[in-house]
Amino acid sequence: MGRGRAKAKQTKVARELKYSTPHTDFDALQRELSGAPSDDDREDQHDEDDYDAYRR
């Protein structure tokens, strides 16, 4: 007994996940699949180079 609310909540969440249509950024997906470095990757590489002298 007492499982009714929990089951109803799970059913509600499952329906939302099943029928929702989240926004997909196809440009970002294309960049990721093509292997092209993103702007964030280029910034990370630049930061690593700045600190390279301090590591040695």
Side-chain angles (χ1 to χ4, degrees), residues 29-42:
L29 179 63
Q30 179 63 34
R31 285 191 304 270
E32 183 177 343
L33 293 176
S34 68
S38 66
D39 294 336
D40 294 336
D41 292 340
R42 286 185 225 135

